[in-house]
Structure formats: structure tokens, C-alpha cells
Amino acid sequence: MSSTRVLSCIQPTGDVHLGSYLGALKNWVSGQHEKDVFHGIVDLHALTVMEEPGVVGQLTVELAAMLFAVGLDPDVATVFAQSHVVEHNQLGWVMECTVSYGELSRMTQFKDKTAKRQQQFISGGLFTYPALQAADILLYDTNEVPIGDDQRQHVEITRDAAIRFNHRFGDTFVIPEAATPAAGGRVMSLQDPTSKMSKSDESGAGCVYLIDDPKAIMKKFKRAVTDSDTGPDAVRYDRENKPGVATLLDINAAITDRTPQQVAEQYEQYGKLKVDTGEAVVETLTPIRERYFELMEDRGEVARLLGAGADKAREVASVTLQRAYDAIGMLPS
Ligand code: TYM
């Protein structure tokens, strides 16, 4: 195994959608045999927006089943729940004291999320969240963080915090790099192609979930928003002026490992592009959905796998936390 260490995480806040799959999970799976990979289900992060009791644990098991269903192999990939590895909270505080108020204020995700939560409770955690994310990454001496484009800024703040800490207290943390896919780094909504595909899509029509059945998937693609252009070059990749078509081309390209321009060359009509893209998505998601429902028949086993993952994660995380405390010069306990 190469010594490249990979870490990336996902929040248990609802069903996984095609954006997360193409932006992140597909790369998590493809890297697992060459690299030393850790993947967290970040239940503590989910608390920034979750208020009902009894929900987050269920969502954590379901998400673990989905991560195994998409292809993470528990024999090589360390999959764990964040709250099972207390070092995340501990280094999270150190990171809160390492990032600045100004840096946190510039996070676009914080601005977007608070804008959507007008008249609703906005937790302090939503603001300090990137510090906990920095801890998630730095605890594992991570070289690479495979993510969608929307998480790039969080990796940047992590790098800045690590560099600042190393400068203050001596070389302690590995400086991580973000890794985003060539296609699929920013999958947009099928109904509003200027917004990213997201679980907060109210009608669900613009968002394809990994557990959607083939009929539902085809319906969402057939109804995808395009434009009224006609003619032989109507299908071309122009994200600014033809966002609906660009969204279909991006998805098709990410699924079939081509560029959106290569895909565009093969089409003259929107209808055919929609159907072929929907079918390619169905072909990819059907085995995932089947494995997911199989795994969900034995939740106990999924929970056991998470327990084993947490043991492995803790072995690495506890060493890094101690190194950070020692570097600062905390009084040994
Ligand atoms: P989360 O749970 O929102 O999303 C999980 C992953 O899916 C990617 N993603 C997308 N990619 C392309 N197109 C989309 N429409 C799309 N929607 C989501 C995200 O970029 C992400 O890679 N803060 C993180 C979780 C996190 C984390 C970490 C990630 C916590 N600690 C440490 C990496 C490393 C988040 O909320 O992701």
C-alpha cells in the first residue's frame, strides 16, 4: 500500500444524492486499494442543523450501509462515525482557537446556509463548523481530501490553520490537498441548473437519490430543465448560457468517464441526451440500491463494522492529538 493517506467525510443529514456520489463517493471507492483511506460519517457536524431527537443515529447507520453499498470495502477502508472518536471534539477545540473569526466569517457555505435559514434557529456550530472539519482532516495526517467543489474552501481554511499551528508550535500537522474530480465536482439540480443538487431541494424533482428506483430516476431526467434552442448544435457545453444542458452533459460525462464536450458531440437532441443520461445513471445506481437494501436487513452488522472502523480511526487520531498537545506544551495528564 502506498503511504498516501486519504480522508473525507459526509454528513448524515438525509438520503445520499447523485451530486455527492459523483463529486465524492465515486473517488473514495476508486482510491481505496492504492491508498490508506479513512471515511467519517460526521454526526457531530449534522448537529449544527438537527433538532429532533432519535434521528441522527438512524441516519448514521443508513449512511454507513450506503457507503458500503457504493463499494467501500470494510477490509481496506476505515469507515467510522465521528462521535465514536472523541479526538475529533478535542482537536476541534484546538482548531477553533487556531482559525480566526475573520476566516470563519468568509466561508461561503456559512453565508449560504444562514441565508436559507432566515427566521430559523442558527446554531453557533454552523459558524465554527470549519474548525471541526479541520480537526477531522488533520487528525489523520491526511495527504488528500477527495471532495466536491463546494468543500474546497473548507480544505483551504484547514491548510491555513495547519500552517499557522506548525509555525506557532513546531511541525505537527501534514498539510492536506483537496482532490476534486475532472467531471462531477459540482452537479447541479435538474430543475434549477443554477443551484447545486442538494438534499434541501423541496420537491425532490431536481435531485436524484441513490435509492430512487429506475422509474423515478427516468422521470426526473425526462423532466430535466433545458432551453428552447433547436438545430444541430443545440447540444453544446456552455455552462453560462445553457445551464440545463450543461448539467446533463456533466452528469453523463462523470458517469461515463468522458468530458462533457465529448458527450455533447454525440447528440443533436435534448430528448435523447436526457434518456441516455437517465439510463446510464440507472445502470450505475441499480446495483448500489440493491446492495443497500440487502445491507439494511442486518443493521447490527453495519453498526459492528462502524465499531471496528472507530477502533482503527482512534489508533491514528489519538497519536496525532497527543502530538498536538505536546507541541503546544499542555501539562501531561
Ligand atoms: P456533505 O455531507 O454536504 O457532502 C458530502 C460530499 O459530497 C459532495 N457534494 C457534491 N459534489 C458535487 N456536486 C454536488 N451537488 C454535491 N453535493 C455534495 C461534497 O463536496 C462532499 O465532498 N463539510 C462536509 C463534510 C465534512 C468533511 C470533513 C469533508 C466534514 N468533515 C472532512 C471532507 C473532510 C459536508 O458537509 O459534506
Side-chain angles (χ1 to χ4, degrees):
M1 186 183 289
S2 91
S3 55
T4 303
R5 178 63 66 69
V6 169
L7 171 124
S8 195
C9 304
I10 179 167
Q11 292 196 56
T13 40
D15 289 332
V16 183
H17 57 72
L18 189 62
S20 289
Y21 177 73
L22 296 176
L25 306 188
K26 192 168 175 252
N27 278 348
W28 297 7
V29 173
S30 66
Q32 67 181 334
H33 291 290
E34 294 82 54
K35 300 170 183 173
D36 186 17
V37 310
F38 285 73
H39 293 297
I41 298 176
V42 286
D43 48 357
L44 298 170
H45 282 285
L47 301 187
T48 57
V49 291
M50 203 169 273
E51 290 158 30
E52 320 88 284
V55 177
V56 69
Q58 287 300 327
L59 292 176
T60 299
V61 177
E62 288 170 15
L63 183 51
M66 187 51 90
L67 295 185
F68 296 126
V70 298
L72 284 179
D73 172 355
D75 288 336
V76 296
T78 302
V79 178
F80 62 96
Q82 185 188 31
S83 66
H84 294 173
V85 184
V86 293
E87 285 80 2
H88 287 253
N89 304 65
Q90 293 169 298
L91 192 67
W93 176 253
V94 175
M95 286 299 123
E96 260 184 66
C97 299
T98 308
V99 297
S100 72
Y101 176 80
E103 282 167 327
L104 292 174
S105 309
R106 286 194 287 277
M107 293 293 112
T108 48
Q109 278 231 325
F110 173 72
K111 293 186 209 161
D112 291 350
K113 288 195 177 173
T114 47
K116 280 191 196 145
R117 293 178 77 80
Q118 271 174 23
Q119 317 292 341
Q120 284 181 58
F121 179 78
I122 294 172
S123 69
L126 209 50
F127 184 67
T128 58
Y129 176 117
L132 183 57
Q133 179 158 351
D136 300 338
I137 296 171
L138 299 178
L139 276 174
Y140 296 89
D141 292 335
T142 303
N143 306 108
E144 267 177 30
V145 190
I147 42 167
D149 287 348
D150 63 337
Q151 293 298 320
R152 276 193 166 273
Q153 203 185 20
H154 289 162
V155 177
E156 273 309 307
I157 196 177
T158 302
R159 289 168 57 87
D160 293 344
I163 291 168
R164 183 173 304 137
F165 186 101
N166 287 352
H167 184 69
R168 281 184 186 160
F169 301 115
D171 217 7
T172 305
F173 295 123
V174 172
I175 312 300
E177 303 261 355
T180 47
R186 190 170 172 77
V187 176
M188 307 306 272
S189 159
L190 295 178
Q191 285 302 312
D192 172 9
T194 58
S195 309
K196 76 179 178 185
M197 187 176 281
S198 121
K199 312 178 225 207
S200 50
D201 176 337
E202 269 167 21
S203 77
C207 183
V208 176
Y209 294 99
L210 304 197
I211 56 165
D212 278 347
D213 62 39
K215 236 172 101 186
I217 295 173
M218 291 310 294
K219 192 164 157 192
K220 289 179 187 181
F221 276 96
K222 284 182 184 158
R223 291 189 181 173
V225 168
T226 47
D227 52 54
S228 52
D229 288 354
T230 49
D233 71 340
V235 180
R236 57 179 197 280
Y237 192 69
D238 180 346
R239 165 68 39 216
E240 193 136 316
N241 299 308
K242 297 173 69 66
V245 177
T247 297
L248 291 166
L249 293 171
D250 275 334
I251 293 173
N252 193 310
I255 290 267
T256 60
D257 288 320
R258 292 181 292 174
T259 65
Q261 290 78 5
Q262 284 169 333
V263 179
E265 278 165 22
Q266 300 199 319
Y267 291 95
E268 290 192 353
Q269 284 168 0
Y270 296 161
K272 175 107 173 79
L273 173 65
K274 288 180 185 181
V275 168
D276 285 2
T277 305
E279 283 174 356
V281 169
V282 166
E283 200 180 313
T284 302
L285 297 189
T286 298
I288 293 176
R289 180 166 150 266
E290 287 170 2
R291 270 198 302 276
Y292 171 76
F293 286 115
E294 264 168 48
L295 286 161
M296 283 305 286
E297 279 171 23
D298 192 355
R299 284 169 181 250
E301 173 60 9
V302 176
R304 194 195 62 75
L305 290 173
L306 280 182
D311 290 343
K312 276 167 63 191
R314 222 176 289 119
E315 276 174 28
V316 178
S318 58
V319 173
T320 315
L321 177 72
Q322 195 55 52
R323 198 165 72 227
Y325 278 0
D326 289 346
I328 299 169
M330 310 286 286
L331 185 66
S333 63

